[in-house]
Amino acid sequence: MFRDFSAQALFMGLLTAFVGFASSFAVVLHGLTGVGATEAQAASGLMALSVSMGLCAIVLSAATRLPVSIAWSTPGAALLASSGAVEGGFATAVGGFLVCAVLIVIAGLWKPLGRMVAAIPATLANAMLSGVLIGLCFAPVKAIAFDPLLGLPIVLAWVVVGSINRLYAVPAALAAFVAVLAFGIDIPEGAFAGLTDALLPQPEIVAPVFTIAGLVGIALPLFIVTMASQNIPGIAVLKVNHYEPSPGPLFAVTGLFSLLSAPFGGHAVNLAAITAAMCAGSDAHPDPARRYWAAINAGVFYVIFGLAAGAVTAFVSLAPPILIQAVAGLALISAFAGSALNAFHAVEGREAAAVTFLVTASGVSFAGISGAFWGLIAGGLMLALARLTARRRARS
């Protein structure tokens, strides 16, 4: 196992954890406070989620030898932010988190769901992935428009170094980001006051309260959003990169780690979608059999970031979010190009792939469920209709 370790996988693991943590921690904090968490409880929840998804990634990737990336449920956090406080306060929300985790475990052990996920056509999976990635791939351009003096150094570092050696293009972009943060952004005086105290955030255990309001208002919507928007696309990303995971056990284990983080205020952890493409792609290592170390390394860094959640939050928040997204977008351009090519390469099913891509890329959510899920549904219906029409023509 340790013979498969590589410096390339180490860097990609660091970048994956950095992007995964930095790009959405604010959404998590906003979601937890939205359902009644105090500032300390929200910080505890953020720490619990980061540590849980790190340990989950290490366990699953080491056990399966697959690059299984884990993330917190960002759509779930957005759902919490929009739902507002429930009757009974944060304790009721934590009860909902626990019920959601149990439901994820049950879903993982229910074999028909695993068969359904495994049956997703490769063209639709590629189309969905490209639709998920394209929004973040726009970020470098948006960063330049936001402030050329901040965005251009990051993009130029990626272009120049990538023209010499593609493997070092993204590391160069990350180094440029750090340089921009250090020399191009005015850091307010006293911004790092109390940084030492923030290095070890205090975990807070919240005694759960189980109510009908928590079940209907928190648990069920959170379960649906997490499964549809994260776990199912996460399996599809692995399939796109030519891995054949067993979905059920992966779902069940993420549910168990969600169960562990819930008492500390964490809402849910799940299979990653966007960052999964970073660990499963060729930038993690030329040999697909050795890419699982990128996910293991990401898990280690997630744990470190979680234990120092307060300090990491303070540092990253100094930079405009678009700059962090720009680094992620540059890292995912290769994955986007590959998935788009595979989605539209075959003439048969091209329209279904286009529908999947467009619905997913629209970013529009229906009934609290993201466009990635609805993109697969729309594309699947188009593909089924095309095949039915072809059969009727063949019979006639």
Side-chain angles (χ1 to χ4, degrees):
M1 176 178 170
F2 289 100
R3 288 180 297 180
D4 294 334
F5 178 85
S6 67
Q8 188 174 346
L10 176 64
F11 171 78
M12 187 54 67
L14 171 60
L15 180 62
T16 298
F18 178 76
V19 169
F21 189 96
S23 63
S24 57
F25 73 90
V27 180
V28 173
L29 292 176
H30 185 44
L32 294 177
T33 55
V35 289
T38 65
E39 185 175 333
Q41 288 171 335
S44 174
L46 180 66
M47 180 195 68
L49 287 169
S50 190
V51 171
S52 288
M53 65 191 196
L55 294 176
C56 186
I58 294 171
V59 169
L60 286 177
S61 298
T64 64
R65 301 295 176 92
L66 300 176
V68 183
S69 297
I70 304 297
W72 49 48
S73 179
T74 303
L79 175 70
L80 296 178
S82 62
S83 65
V86 294
E87 184 178 351
F90 191 55
T92 300
V94 170
F97 299 165
L98 286 167
V99 174
C100 172
V102 172
L103 290 175
I104 294 175
V105 173
I106 295 173
L109 299 176
W110 188 47
K111 291 185 178 180
L113 177 60
R115 288 194 294 268
M116 180 186 73
V117 175
I120 298 175
T123 54
L124 299 189
N126 277 286
M128 183 214 67
L129 176 60
S130 58
V132 169
L133 297 178
I134 191 171
L136 200 50
C137 288
F138 287 143
V141 180
K142 293 181 179 179
I144 295 174
F146 171 77
D147 191 328
L149 294 179
L150 300 180
L152 267 177
I154 297 173
V155 176
L156 288 176
W158 180 81
V159 171
V160 173
V161 175
S163 65
I164 301 172
N165 190 324
R166 189 176 64 86
L167 295 178
Y168 296 106
V170 177
L174 182 60
F177 166 81
V178 175
V180 165
L181 180 59
F183 301 107
I185 296 176
D186 293 330
I187 299 177
E189 186 177 350
F192 294 107
L195 183 61
T196 303
D197 294 335
L199 287 173
L200 292 175
Q202 298 297 318
E204 290 200 11
I205 297 178
V206 180
V209 174
F210 301 96
T211 66
I212 298 298
L215 173 64
V216 176
I218 299 292
L220 291 178
L222 182 59
F223 166 72
I224 294 172
V225 166
T226 299
M227 290 299 297
S229 302
Q230 294 285 147
N231 277 337
I232 292 177
I235 290 293
V237 169
L238 287 172
K239 292 188 64 174
V240 164
N241 286 278
H242 311 295
Y243 297 101
E244 294 298 331
S246 180
L250 298 186
F251 294 163
V253 173
T254 62
L256 289 175
F257 277 91
S258 296
L259 203 60
L260 294 175
S261 66
F264 298 95
H267 61 290
V269 299
N270 42 244
L271 299 180
I274 293 178
T275 53
M278 299 172 69
C279 288
S282 59
D283 285 339
H285 198 278
D287 184 359
R290 298 177 62 180
R291 294 174 191 168
Y292 70 94
W293 264 104
I296 292 176
N297 292 325
V300 172
F301 286 114
Y302 273 133
V303 172
I304 294 173
F305 290 164
L307 294 177
V312 172
T313 300
F315 177 76
V316 171
S317 63
L318 296 176
I322 189 60
L323 297 184
I324 301 168
Q325 296 167 17
V327 176
L330 293 171
L332 293 171
I333 287 178
S334 177
F336 167 75
S339 60
L341 176 63
N342 291 327
F344 299 108
H345 179 71
V347 176
E348 182 183 359
R350 186 172 291 174
E351 289 185 354
V355 169
T356 300
F357 170 78
L358 292 172
V359 173
T360 302
S362 71
V364 176
S365 298
F366 299 97
I369 302 175
S370 76
F373 174 76
W374 295 117
L376 283 177
I377 295 297
L381 291 175
M382 283 289 295
L383 190 60
L385 180 61
R387 289 176 177 176
L388 179 61
T389 303
R391 288 174 186 172
R392 288 181 175 177
R393 290 176 179 174
R395 291 175 183 173
S396 61

